Amino acid sequence: MISKAVKWKVSAAWTLTAVVTAAGIGWSRSLPELKTTVSQFKSGLFTQYSRSFKDNSGWIYAIALSPDGTTLASGSYGGIIKIWNLQTGELLYTIKAHTDAIESLAISPDGNLLASGSWDNRIKLWNLKTGILINTLKGHADDVKAISISPDGRLLASGSTDKTVKLWKFPQGKLLRTLPDTDWIKSVAFSPDSKILASGSENGSIKIWWLNDAGNYTLSGHSGSVKSVAFSPDGKTLATGSADKTVKLWQFTNGKVLHTLTGHSGPVQSVAFSQDGQALASGSYDKTIKLWNLKTGELMTNFAEHSKPVWSVAFSSQNPVLASGSGDETIKLWPVPVPIATQVNSPAPEVEAAPSEILSPGEIAQLNRKVYDQIDNSWRSTPTFKTSLVYRVAVNEKGVIIDCQPLNQAAADFIQEVSLSSFRQGSKHQHFYQFKVVLKPSGVLEVSPW
């Protein structure tokens, strides 16, 4: 990446590892630099992970990310919890937590406590910083398959093969209520306002529980067990992943199915919304993770480098990262190149993708430099915009910009002010290369390979 300061001085300190793809150039960086990483992110492409942690304690059934984006917890078939530094990949400590498999983990909203649910019928609460056991919740008569902590930090919900959902006072552990069902409970999730609980069962039904009066109703549509449920950040949409190999998006207040997402060839084990609510990730027994556009229901990209089923997926709230845990005993971190919303809302590319020649890192650096210089020479005005402008530019083999595409609304609004409209030629060349360009309100210009 090349950055430009307000006084137009160039900072050229950057370290990149090239990843050649079929339609442009992708890049992978160390995790602390992910905020400036941009890689291929187009529907149907197989995108490489940026980091992989080897667990070696059995199939990884559950992962959870801390709210501050610094810590990842993993739970395995062997009853082991491992705590990782998300930024460095360092294993911080290991807990022999349960006598049977851990299928669900949750971290409290304040980031201080970790909850684990196990096939040993127990829920345990841990100090996330020290690994010290704080409390053990006993009450289920069979496997605990799912747990969730309410966003207000006051409740913990647990679902079990004893056909009940239990509500606990958190973190004290007092059992407040038992919600009966007719089949095994495979998944639970709280709404963002903590007033509604969704549960998915073995028989394919989803129950919506109103916690203020314990009323509930049932959503029907899946033909297989509902293994994962998740509310969108705005609380308006419920996503469900099922053994019937589909993901459904519900307007749950009236039972309407907004989209049925098909494409997985195995049961969908886990679903998770991006923080901006514009995309959904689904992890499957087919060993893949798919990222979906929530407005259209279309597949945005496909991650396929796990060698065994993907049991759990989770977005970081602080970094552009998607994490996955798998039966191959690894945790993989996948870079999300720009805010999902800009990807989802961006117009169709004006330059058609074509196979690129394989370039060395040195050649890529030269192209990066040429892109920077062209935009540096054209952008000389004092910024009046308040939000960073994000563009995707295409260059030919000589480094000449042949097209410029705004990736957020501000970029479209201010394209004349920053003198980039002249680059919107819509030209088509046999080979072209793509770069991300960010113009910041502070006067900083950043250019990095796509």
Side-chain angles (χ1 to χ4, degrees):
M1 181 186 76
I2 295 181
S3 291
K4 164 178 148 182
V6 177
K7 295 184 179 180
W8 319 111
K9 293 183 179 179
V10 176
S11 171
W14 53 299
T15 303
L16 298 169
T17 302
V19 179
V20 178
T21 66
I25 301 145
W27 292 81
S28 176
R29 293 192 186 189
S30 60
L31 190 58
E33 298 177 340
L34 276 176
K35 288 187 177 180
T36 54
T37 297
V38 180
S39 59
Q40 287 283 346
F41 201 68
K42 296 180 179 178
S43 179
L45 293 184
F46 292 81
T47 308
Q48 287 198 339
Y49 58 87
S50 65
R51 187 185 294 276
S52 184
F53 306 159
K54 185 65 175 176
D55 191 296
N56 292 319
S57 59
W59 282 31
I60 299 170
Y61 282 146
I63 59 172
L65 303 182
S66 63
D68 64 4
T70 64
T71 305
L72 183 146
S74 61
S76 71
Y77 177 81
I80 302 294
I81 292 174
K82 291 192 175 183
I83 307 298
W84 309 82
N85 183 311
L86 191 63
Q87 296 179 320
T88 66
E90 177 189 3
L91 176 62
L92 301 177
Y93 60 86
T94 300
I95 307 171
K96 182 62 178 79
H98 291 272
T99 59
D100 212 331
I102 298 168
E103 197 166 342
S104 188
L105 294 172
I107 294 176
S108 61
D110 62 8
N112 292 328
L113 297 180
L114 171 70
S116 57
S118 170
W119 296 359
D120 65 9
N121 309 353
R122 302 287 188 266
I123 301 155
K124 293 187 177 182
L125 308 182
W126 311 86
N127 183 310
L128 185 59
K129 309 300 181 186
T130 65
I132 295 174
L133 180 64
I134 302 298
N135 205 348
T136 299
L137 313 186
K138 302 176 182 179
H140 282 295
D142 211 335
D143 301 356
V144 176
K145 305 292 284 184
I147 57 175
S148 180
I149 298 172
S150 62
D152 64 9
R154 301 172 64 182
L155 296 173
L156 183 145
S158 55
S160 168
T161 52
D162 66 10
K163 303 180 183 179
T164 69
V165 174
K166 294 186 182 294
L167 289 174
W168 312 80
K169 186 176 182 180
F170 185 82
Q172 294 82 358
K174 178 183 177 182
L175 180 60
L176 300 175
R177 188 182 303 166
T178 296
L179 308 174
D181 208 326
T182 58
D183 210 337
W184 294 359
I185 304 299
K186 306 300 290 286
S187 51
V188 293
F190 283 98
S191 62
D193 62 7
S194 303
K195 295 180 179 180
I196 301 170
L197 182 75
S199 63
S201 72
E202 180 69 19
N203 62 20
S205 67
I206 304 112
K207 281 197 173 177
I208 305 297
W209 307 87
W210 299 90
L211 300 181
N212 57 349
D213 60 6
N216 70 85
Y217 61 90
T218 301
L219 303 177
S220 299
H222 283 295
S223 60
S225 63
V226 178
K227 295 176 172 290
S228 183
V229 293
F231 285 93
S232 61
D234 64 7
K236 296 179 180 179
T237 305
L238 179 73
T240 56
S242 171
D244 65 12
K245 306 177 187 178
T246 72
V247 176
K248 290 185 184 293
L249 301 176
W250 305 80
Q251 192 173 39
F252 64 91
T253 53
N254 60 19
K256 179 182 178 181
V257 176
L258 302 174
H259 293 291
T260 296
L261 311 180
T262 60
H264 282 296
S265 59
V268 178
Q269 304 292 135
S270 181
V271 293
F273 282 93
S274 62
Q275 291 301 309
D276 60 10
Q278 297 294 318
L280 184 87
S282 57
S284 170
Y285 210 86
D286 66 11
K287 308 174 188 177
T288 72
I289 302 145
K290 297 185 186 299
L291 203 61
W292 308 89
N293 179 325
L294 292 186
K295 281 192 174 181
T296 65
E298 295 177 348
L299 178 65
M300 294 170 62
T301 198
N302 191 61
F303 303 111
E305 294 195 32
H306 280 295
S307 60
K308 289 187 178 179
V310 177
W311 288 93
S312 185
V313 293
F315 281 97
S316 169
S317 61
Q318 299 297 319
N319 301 305
V321 173
L322 174 68
S324 58
S326 167
D328 62 13
E329 300 187 6
T330 68
I331 300 148
K332 295 189 188 301
L333 304 180
W334 311 87
V336 179
V338 297
I340 292 291
T342 65
Q343 292 286 346
V344 172
N345 296 326
S346 62
E350 296 182 6
V351 181
E352 295 180 358
S356 64
E357 297 173 333
I358 297 176
L359 299 182
S360 68
E363 291 172 312
I364 293 293
Q366 291 178 8
L367 288 179
N368 200 108
R369 174 77 258 183
K370 290 178 179 179
V371 172
Y372 178 91
D373 287 343
Q374 290 172 77
I375 297 175
D376 180 29
N377 290 331
S378 67
W379 181 36
R380 291 291 179 176
S381 60
T382 301
T384 62
F385 45 90
K386 305 300 182 183
T387 302
S388 292
L389 315 183
V390 184
Y391 299 90
R392 173 166 48 203
V393 302
V395 303
N396 63 20
E397 60 277 2
K398 295 181 179 180
V400 177
I401 296 176
I402 58 176
D403 197 29
C404 176
Q405 177 192 359
L407 291 183
N408 58 6
Q409 188 59 50
D413 293 342
F414 288 90
I415 192 168
Q416 295 283 350
E417 176 178 311
V418 297
S419 303
L420 292 184
S421 57
S422 60
F423 295 120
R424 301 193 72 181
Q425 302 170 16
S427 303
K428 297 181 181 180
H429 291 243
Q430 182 179 4
H431 298 296
F432 70 88
Y433 310 94
Q434 298 186 23
F435 291 81
K436 177 188 176 186
V437 174
V438 180
L439 289 74
K440 298 186 176 182
S442 60
V444 171
L445 167 64
E446 295 179 352
V447 178
S448 55
W450 195 264

